[in-house]
Each structure stands twice: as C-alpha cells, then as structure tokens.
Amino acid sequence: MPEPTVRDAFRSPALLRTEVLAGLVVALALIPEAISFSIIAGVDPQVGLFASFTMAVAISFLGGRPAMISAATGAVALVVAPVMKEHGYDFLIATVLLGGVIQVLLALAGVARLMRFIPRSVMVGFVNALAILIFEAQVDHMVDVPWAVYPMIAIGIAVIVGFPRISAVVPAPLVAIVALTAFTVVSAVDVPDVGDEGALPDSLPAWFLPDVPLSLETLKIIAPYAIAMALVGILESLLTAKLVDDITDSPSDKTRETWGQGAANIITGFFGGMGGCAMIGQTMINVKVSGARTRLSTFLAGVLLLVLVVGFGDVVAIIPMAALVAVMVMVSVGTFDWHSIRPATLRRMPRSETAVMLATVVVTVATHNLAIGVGVGVLVAMTLFARRVAHLTETRRSLSTDEHGVTTATYHVTGEFFFASSNDLYTQFEYAADPECVVIDMADAHVWDASTVASLDAITTKYERKGKRVTIVGLDAASAERHARLTGQLGSH
C-alpha cells in the first residue's frame, strides 16, 4: 500500500483528523523543549521557538522524509552555544547560515550515501541511547518538585497507555495534556508549568541579517562551529529518517533530506532562529504515537506552535510540565528497543554486535552527543569486523614432482587479504625447507590493498635471497591489476 500524501489527507476526514491532532500534540511537546534548548544555547526563548517554527514549516516542503519533525535541538544548541557565549548573537546567526550552506554542499557531494556504512548494531545503539537521553531530560522536571507532580505524571502515563483501548480518534497524549491542564486549573494545585520554563514571545518572527564583518577573521571564528553543526544535523536527521523508514515501511530521499535540512537552517537563520535538525522524540510522537504519515502534520506542528505561543501564550503557559513529562516518558519507553536487551537476544547475538551497540549507547549518553556516539560505534564495528575477517584466511602447502624430477612447493592461499590479515601471510611459508620452485596459488584469495602486495613482495624477496624462484598464479582481474601496479614500488618489508 503506497504511503498517503497531503492530497490523500484532504480527501479523507479520518486521515486529516489524524494529521491535525498529531501536529497539535507535537506543537505542545515542542514548546518546553525549544525553551530549554534556547537556555542551553544562551539565547532568549523566542529564538528557539521561532527556530522550531521555521525549521518545521520549511522542512515540510523541502525535506525528503514525510512526517519527520525538524526543530531546534539540543545537539545543535550544544554545538553553537560557545559562539553565543564568546562572540554574541550576530555571530551565532552567521554560524547557523554557514552551517546550512555547508549542509547543502555536502548533500550535493553525495554525503547521504555514506549512511550505508552505519551497521544495524550502531542504529540499535543510537535508538537506545536516544531513549535514555529523552528520559534523562525529564528527570530535571521530577526532582525538587511538589509531591502532586508525581501522581499527575503517573495519571498522565496511565491515560496514554489506556486511552487507545477506549478510542483511537484522538491521540492519547493530547487527552492526557488537556485532562491534566483542566485538573490543575480546577483544583488550583501549584505545580510547575510551561510558563515557568521561560517567557513566550508575543510577536511574529521578523527578517534578520546578522551584523558581522564579511572577513576571513569572521570565517575563522564561525567555520569550525558551522562544520560541526552541519555534520551533527545531517547525522541526526538521516538516522532519524532511517528509523521512520523502518516504522512506516516506506523509503525516503536521503539526499533531499540533507539539502532540505541545509535550506531550512538558512531560512531559520534569516529569521533569527538558532538552527536545528530532525528531532527523534517529537518524530516518534508524530509517527509512532499519533500515527501521522504526511508532510501536513510536520507543517501544522510548526504553524500551531507559532499560533499557540503567540496567540494563546497565556493558555499554553498554564499547561503543567507533569503532562509533557508523562508524554516524553512514554516516548522514551516506546523508542527503546527492548528486544535488543532480552537475554535470549543477547545469547543469540554475536558478542561483537552487542559490543558495538553498548559502545554506541555508553558514548552517546556520556557525551550527550549523538555524532560522537555514532562515530565511535562505527569505528568499533569496523575494527571488530576487520579483526573477524582477518582470521578467515588459510594457507595450505603441498609438494609435487614432475616427470623430470623437479619438485615444486605449492601454497594454496584462501581468504580476503588486507592490512589486518596480510601481515600473518609472511609467516606461513617454509622458506628453508622448500625446493627451488615455489608456486603461490591465489585463485581463492583476493588482494585488497598495498599491505598485501608488500607482503607478497617480501615473501618473493626472501625466497630469492635463498636462490629460489616464486611464481604467483590465480589472481583475479582486480587483484592482478593491483599487484602489477604496486609490486616492487613499496620499498622493503
């Protein structure tokens, strides 16, 4: 069944209701997060809120993954915070603009295709780490708070879990938010609310041009942060897109998503926003919890966010944080891949796969940086894979004598030979005991790099020093071309 489109949503009242309500729930969940990310970046709350509006609206048109939510994020806030602290707001916006340009250039260079090199175990670790980070972010709202917060969170979770069994017409998170807000108003109980997180804006975002010198010195200041922002944003967005692909069982255009993120950041920068990327927590609310599938929900999340904070700021301000905490706790529970830590799964899974997953989780949670965590996970996966493949080689020796009485030692070499496996090849030959004629049969082997060619040269040289002749046979076309091009050109062993 093809994925529904915006046109399908307008033709189907049920689908349209799902998209609208999903957008509303996401908009409500975005408000406190955007404010808290603004605080991380050291800017006014409206900077994060306006960034979330422009990112969501822009990416709904430009992005390659329908129903994915992009907004101001903690990952980007952490990257750009030092610019704000050391150089001020104008340099921050200049960094966002340059970061967006870099993302567009990386998209045109085909960086999205590198996603194929991220193993499944890293993806599982990424998802589990995000679930932990989403939950960890809620802990601050559960410490040093009035006792009434705890039963309210419990009730909110119970509503989110139980309401879908009664009705699927309205998203359960929206029911929990409305019910707990109504309770706080009627009972006049004093609990932390959205208004306590920061002042909400009372005007629309306006066009903004950063007042920075157009000089090499400015570029030196902002370029390192812009590059980091671009890479973090692309990585987080593409991993989130891949996750949504799996949930919806539909493909997305990763290259379009990459340049779309860049264009959205450029638009956001020109409206004075702090930049952003895909948000997995809000995306899970939209796609997994609320069932949204089209760009309409993403567009409405941005528009309704602006309408709520500017037009209904007084109402939004009284929403208890307990309601939003309950929503995000259930998002955390739903995001975590519980199957990956079941004893049966861990027993069945190769230890190297589990090690990669754990490395990704630990580093991501420790650094609060998804890019570093995924980078370490990929490096660990590559190292363990190379180590495993390096041992899948074999060398068998046989002796034969022809009709003229000439004895030949033939070595049948099997396996994939590269830097990790070729070093051992040198030690597999009986240089002193072998006759004058030696044949190395590589019909069942492949030469991948210069290290292997260097090892074969060293083997040949050692035999020649003993007055023996070596013939290498059976190389496939690619291995033969590589060997012919590099042999004798690599120096001594």
Side-chain angles (χ1 to χ4, degrees):
M1 182 177 167
E3 192 175 56
T5 64
V6 174
R7 184 177 294 178
D8 295 331
F10 281 113
R11 289 174 176 171
S12 167
L15 186 56
L16 181 61
R17 181 182 64 243
T18 298
E19 298 293 313
V20 172
L21 293 177
L24 178 58
V25 173
V26 171
L28 289 169
L30 276 173
I31 294 169
E33 296 233 337
I35 294 172
S36 64
F37 297 150
S38 298
I39 294 168
I40 290 172
V43 296
D44 292 336
Q46 71 174 21
V47 176
L49 290 164
F50 287 163
S52 295
F53 159 68
T54 53
M55 285 294 298
V57 171
I59 209 68
S60 68
F61 291 98
L62 303 172
R65 174 64 262 177
M68 193 166 80
I69 304 297
S70 290
T73 60
V76 171
L78 286 168
V79 170
V80 300
V83 184
M84 181 65 194
K85 184 177 180 181
E86 297 171 17
H87 303 283
Y89 180 64
D90 287 278
F91 278 84
L92 169 71
I93 300 304
T95 303
V96 172
L97 291 170
L98 180 59
V101 170
I102 292 171
Q103 286 178 324
V104 172
L105 294 175
L106 289 172
L108 296 176
V111 73
R113 289 193 291 270
L114 296 177
M115 277 296 293
R116 72 184 72 176
F117 295 109
I118 298 181
R120 180 189 174 279
S121 49
V122 174
M123 277 297 298
V124 173
F126 165 79
V127 168
N128 289 348
L130 274 168
I132 293 168
L133 289 177
I134 291 169
F135 182 83
E136 187 182 304
Q138 311 315 308
V139 173
D140 289 342
H141 301 294
M142 294 187 274
V143 177
D144 294 328
V145 292
W147 67 269
V149 168
Y150 302 110
M152 288 177 69
I153 293 174
I155 291 169
I157 291 173
V159 170
I160 294 168
V161 173
F163 188 78
R165 299 174 185 175
I166 301 171
S167 173
V169 175
V170 182
L174 182 59
V175 175
I177 291 169
V178 171
L180 290 175
T181 303
F183 170 75
T184 55
V185 171
V186 172
S187 64
V189 63
D190 185 20
V191 292
D193 54 32
V194 171
D196 296 331
E197 295 296 299
L200 300 176
D202 55 7
S203 61
L204 296 174
W207 187 258
F208 181 84
L209 285 175
D211 182 17
V212 297
L214 296 175
S215 65
L216 189 60
E217 192 61 34
T218 299
L219 186 63
K220 287 179 181 177
I221 292 170
I222 66 174
Y225 299 102
I227 292 169
M229 172 193 159
L231 294 176
V232 168
I234 288 173
L235 184 60
E236 194 161 340
S237 298
L238 293 184
L239 287 172
T240 305
K242 194 169 187 296
L243 192 62
V244 178
D245 291 351
D246 293 339
I247 293 170
T248 61
D249 197 23
S250 61
S252 61
D253 187 337
K254 303 296 190 302
T255 298
R256 178 178 173 180
E257 183 61 40
T258 304
W259 66 253
Q261 288 290 333
N265 271 310
I266 293 170
I267 293 168
T268 296
F270 279 127
F271 280 96
M274 58 182 268
C277 61
M279 297 190 75
I280 191 166
Q282 276 62 32
T283 298
M284 289 300 100
I285 292 175
N286 198 44
V287 175
K288 205 169 186 179
V289 179
S290 302
R293 290 293 181 270
T294 77
R295 297 174 184 275
L296 183 60
S297 58
T298 307
F299 174 78
L300 288 174
V303 171
L304 291 173
L305 167 67
L306 189 66
V307 170
L308 287 169
V309 297
V310 175
F312 298 93
D314 293 340
V315 176
V316 171
I318 63 173
I319 295 175
M321 285 303 300
L324 298 173
V325 168
V327 171
M328 296 310 294
V329 165
M330 289 311 298
V331 167
S332 171
V333 171
T335 301
F336 197 92
D337 186 349
W338 297 100
H339 180 267
S340 67
I341 61 170
R342 288 178 183 169
T345 304
L346 294 174
R347 282 195 301 270
R348 197 178 302 116
M349 194 68 65
R351 289 182 182 178
S352 59
E353 299 280 316
T354 303
V356 170
M357 186 265 284
L358 289 175
T360 306
V361 171
V362 170
V363 174
T364 302
V365 173
T367 61
H368 284 224
N369 190 314
L370 293 165
I372 294 175
V374 171
V376 169
V378 171
L379 284 174
V380 172
M382 289 169 61
T383 303
L384 293 177
F385 174 77
R387 181 173 176 269
R388 192 162 62 245
V389 172
H391 289 89
L392 299 177
T393 61
E394 185 182 9
T395 304
R396 300 189 315 276
R397 177 178 182 265
S398 63
L399 294 174
S400 60
T401 304
D402 62 15
E403 65 272 15
H404 302 294
V406 178
T407 302
T408 302
T410 302
Y411 287 86
H412 299 273
V413 181
T414 305
E416 305 296 320
F417 287 89
F418 60 108
F419 62 89
S421 56
S422 61
N423 288 330
D424 291 338
L425 184 62
Y426 182 78
T427 63
Q428 302 300 309
F429 294 81
E430 298 182 19
Y431 300 98
D434 280 340
E436 290 185 6
C437 293
V438 177
V439 174
I440 302 176
D441 183 358
M442 300 193 71
D444 296 319
H446 189 89
V447 175
W448 285 104
D449 62 3
S451 296
T452 308
V453 176
S455 292
L456 290 172
D457 282 356
I459 293 164
T460 303
T461 300
K462 188 164 183 176
Y463 273 117
E464 287 175 349
R465 284 176 187 158
K466 296 180 179 295
K468 300 174 183 181
R469 188 179 77 255
V470 177
T471 306
I472 299 174
V473 300
L475 287 170
D476 60 50
S479 298
E481 187 276 330
R482 188 170 290 114
H483 183 264
R485 177 160 40 90
L486 296 175
T487 185
Q489 308 296 318
L490 301 171
S492 60
H493 180 67

